[in-house]
Structures are given as C-alpha cells and as structure tokens.
Amino acid sequence: MIIAFDDKKQYICANRAIKSQNYCCPGCQEQVILKVGDVNQPHFAHYSGTVCATFTENETAQHLSGKLQLAEQFKKYGHVQIEAVLPEINQRPDILITLKERKVAVEYQCSPISQKRLDERNAGYSSQNIQVIWILGQNYFEKSMTQKSIIKFWAQKKLTFYLPDKERFVYRKDFWKCDFERIHYLEWMSHSLFEGTTKTQGINFKIEKQIYKLQNLLIQKRVDEKIVRYLYNKERLLLHAPLWMHEGHTFGLTIPNWHFRLLIMLLLERVGQENMVKKDDISNKLTKYLMGDDNFKHYQIALIFNDLEKNHYILQQGQHLLVRRLPNWHTSLSQKLCKMRDK
C-alpha cells in the first residue's frame, strides 16, 4: 500500500514519508513499515503476522506506479484520495474522487479477480451511492482476453486500460466476433480519462468461409445431432439455411452465431408472417444464450432486432415486433452460394 497514517492520524503517501517516523495502517490501525529501495516503488507494508482485512500486500510496481500517476491526473476533476478507507463497507478503492456531492471510486486492476469478488465490490460501492470505474493494467492489455473476461469489465460499452510506462489510456469498444475467428474491436489511445471517439468499427468477414467451415463441422459430425435431426424432420438441411444465419457477429454468446441465428429464425417462423409478438417474449428466449448481466444482454438483443429490421424481416413497434417476412431457405448449397455471390 502507498498510503498510511502518520502520528497525527493524517494520510501520508509513501513517496513523501520519512523512514525514521512511525506509521500505521488506516484499515487495521496496526503499525506498518516504510519500504524504500533503488528499484521498487516506495510503499508501506504490514509487519509479519499482522492480519488486515482491508489492505493487502504484494502490490506490483506496475500497480503502485500506475495508481500514483492516475491520482495525479485525476486531481483536475476534484479532491483525490489514494486508498481511502470506507469503513461502512470495509473497502478501499485505489483512488476516491470527490466531485462536489458525488463520489467516484477508481479501481486500477492489474491482477486477476473473480466475478464474485468483482460483483461484491461493485455492490458495496452501489450501497454507498459511489460510482465505480474499473481501469485495467498492462497485464490485461497485453494478453488475449476472452469474451467472458471482457464482459466482466464491460462498462459504458467499452474497456479502459492505463499503461504506466506510456502514461496513456487505451480504450476498446465495438466488440464483435463471428464464428471461427478471433475477437475484433476498435482501439484508440488518449492522454485523459473520459475521452471518447467518433470512429466506428467496421464489420467485415467472408460469408463463404463461414459456410464452408460449418460444412466441415457437419462432415466431422461436430454439430449437435438434435439440430440436424430436427431440421431433417422438417425436410430441411442445415447448409440450406438462409444466408442471414451465417452473417452473425454477436459478441458474448455461449453458442455459435450460426446456432443463435438459427434459433431466431425458427422463433420467427413460429410467430408467423404478418403476425405480431411481444419483444419480451422473444428476448426471454434468447438471453439465456448470452453472457454478462442484464444490461449487456438487452444491448445485444437490441442489436439483433435492429439487424432483423434492417433486413426487412421485422418491424419494431414499441414493445412489439411485426414479422414482415421470413428468411428464405435454399434448395441446394450451390444455389445458396450463387445467391451469396450475386449480393
């Protein structure tokens, strides 16, 4: 930790502390030792055997230096406290910013954290009407994050990183993923927090590749037999499905995009052309195939509805959907490929 109490119970930062003086932990009130070296960032540490529920040890140099840099940057927004103790919830944000009557907690996350622990911390801040901003460190920036990890920190529809060595923020947004490919996103760098961009992420992938990849899965018998059998009983083949099924790029799915879109088409067929259905009736059947919280799920479902409307399959009318027309199934794979190439 980089903050402690001095003899007068005043907060003092480790880089301004004097080795000969006594300091104690703001959380447990136990005495701490100032550690200063030629390599490591100055910081305080508990003596061996001390049990503290608020402060943890073994902070990395990246976390310590990043926290100090961020605190300095945030002074332009309001009063800044590093490692302020919130006794009501037994939590200690890396940085607490007071903006008139509003408080914002900033968590600079460099190490792994479980979804349960993240939810607990968010709930604690929420109970005190404190907004929380999660900023990820260089470890997260450099590794290939999974969809699950990205959604864990997904807020304001983007991820925020801070790189201490460059003293820059990096943002990622507009995440999308088609089947058989890596995650795509728009990335930009900035000197300050809260800076957005007017750029948008273009979505471009080869539909033909999607079709042939799915064909290979069928040949290898790696497609759920229940799907194949269900379509066969309806006198249909999966590879004859509408092209719209292969155009999926929804981020955060627990099943492949082609499978998700197949389910959507079957739901629309059940409703029937020129019939209406409540949006919630469709949404409730689809959200179980999405990761994340309700906000994330509803956002992704809204994108799907917009795509269906753009293709003139549905018309959104308030809380209802009108099925205007149904996607056409093809008579053969060759006919389907010709249709695709004519687009």
Side-chain angles (χ1 to χ4, degrees):
M1 60 185 183
I2 56 177
I3 286 290
F5 276 154
D6 62 16
D7 290 336
K8 297 178 182 179
K9 292 295 180 181
Q10 299 293 314
Y11 281 108
I12 187 166
C13 194
N15 60 359
R16 297 178 182 175
I18 300 172
K19 190 83 171 175
S20 59
Q21 293 188 2
N22 296 322
Y23 304 98
C24 68
C25 171
C28 66
Q29 306 298 314
E30 293 291 333
Q31 190 173 359
V32 293
I33 184 172
L34 174 64
K35 292 192 173 184
V36 181
D38 295 329
V39 178
N40 294 329
Q41 188 86 25
H43 64 282
F44 297 103
H46 288 86
Y47 284 93
S48 178
T50 303
V51 177
C52 180
T54 307
F55 286 80
T56 57
E57 312 294 353
N58 302 320
E59 281 189 283
T60 63
Q62 175 198 154
H63 189 248
L64 287 165
S65 61
K67 193 156 48 176
L68 286 172
Q69 290 177 25
L70 288 170
E72 192 63 32
Q73 286 213 29
F74 296 159
K75 286 179 180 178
K76 60 187 174 185
Y77 300 120
H79 177 63
V80 171
Q81 293 173 270
I82 302 176
E83 298 177 345
V85 176
L86 304 175
E88 300 85 359
I89 54 175
N90 196 29
Q91 288 181 206
R92 171 194 51 92
D94 288 321
I95 299 167
L96 186 67
I97 310 171
T98 303
L99 311 166
K100 294 183 179 179
E101 297 181 357
R102 186 164 64 97
K103 291 185 176 181
V104 178
V106 177
E107 292 284 9
Y108 183 49
Q109 194 65 34
C110 297
S111 59
I113 183 172
S114 68
Q115 185 69 60
K116 180 182 177 182
R117 183 61 182 141
L118 187 86
D119 292 341
E120 289 172 350
R121 294 190 69 78
N122 286 338
Y125 293 129
S126 179
S127 70
Q128 301 298 305
N129 295 316
I130 298 174
Q131 179 189 348
V132 59
I133 298 173
W134 290 87
I135 300 176
L136 303 180
Q138 194 147 343
N139 292 342
Y140 280 98
F141 177 75
E142 291 176 348
K143 72 179 182 180
S144 297
M145 295 178 68
T146 64
Q147 293 186 83
K148 188 176 180 180
S149 295
I150 292 168
I151 293 168
K152 184 193 296 185
F153 297 105
W154 188 83
Q156 289 81 51
K157 302 180 179 63
K158 68 176 184 291
L159 290 190
T160 303
F161 302 84
Y162 183 72
L163 312 181
D165 57 335
K166 290 184 171 61
E167 297 186 16
R168 297 286 190 280
F169 292 93
V170 179
Y171 300 94
R172 290 175 183 170
K173 71 167 190 173
D174 295 346
F175 293 92
W176 63 274
K177 187 186 182 306
C178 62
D179 295 332
F180 316 110
E181 290 193 17
R182 64 176 180 82
I183 298 168
H184 298 264
Y185 48 81
L186 175 65
E187 181 178 286
W188 74 99
M189 189 173 284
S190 169
H191 284 279
S192 62
L193 190 63
F194 308 125
E195 186 171 314
T197 179
T198 57
K199 295 180 181 178
T200 56
Q201 168 77 338
I203 296 173
N204 183 30
F205 59 95
K206 295 181 179 178
I207 305 300
E208 189 169 2
K209 175 183 175 182
Q210 297 292 312
I211 296 171
Y212 285 130
K213 287 283 189 180
L214 180 57
Q215 184 182 41
N216 286 336
L217 291 183
L218 284 164
I219 293 171
Q220 298 167 14
K221 296 185 177 180
R222 292 171 59 191
V223 174
D224 190 339
E225 182 63 29
K226 292 179 182 177
I227 297 173
V228 177
R229 190 163 55 248
Y230 175 85
L231 293 176
Y232 180 79
N233 291 335
K234 298 282 185 180
E235 298 183 347
R236 287 173 167 174
L237 296 176
L238 183 57
L239 286 179
H240 295 176
L243 285 170
W244 187 79
M245 185 184 79
H246 304 283
E247 296 172 356
H249 50 266
T250 298
F251 183 76
L253 287 172
T254 60
I255 58 175
N257 263 285
W258 67 260
H259 189 175
F260 187 61
R261 289 198 163 205
L262 174 63
L263 293 173
I264 293 171
M265 292 188 299
L266 295 177
L267 284 173
L268 294 182
E269 287 182 2
R270 189 173 297 176
V271 174
Q273 189 166 316
E274 298 185 359
N275 290 326
M276 296 192 74
V277 63
K278 289 182 178 179
K279 283 184 176 180
D280 285 347
D281 290 347
I282 300 295
S283 295
N284 292 338
K285 289 181 173 64
L286 298 177
T287 51
K288 64 182 178 181
Y289 300 108
L290 283 159
M291 307 175 197
D293 60 18
D294 289 342
N295 289 333
F296 179 82
K297 291 177 180 180
H298 291 149
Y299 174 72
Q300 296 297 340
I301 295 296
L303 293 178
I304 284 289
F305 287 162
N306 291 341
D307 188 69
L308 286 166
E309 189 168 52
K310 180 181 176 182
N311 284 277
H312 308 293
Y313 295 131
I314 66 167
L315 181 64
Q316 300 184 67
Q317 298 182 334
Q319 299 304 311
H320 291 79
L321 303 176
L322 170 67
V323 180
R324 298 179 64 182
R325 67 184 182 94
L326 296 170
N328 292 321
W329 286 67
H330 301 277
T331 56
S332 68
L333 179 57
S334 58
Q335 185 255 347
K336 178 176 178 175
L337 291 171
C338 286
K339 180 79 173 177
M340 179 204 68
R341 290 161 186 158
D342 289 341
K343 267 194 167 185

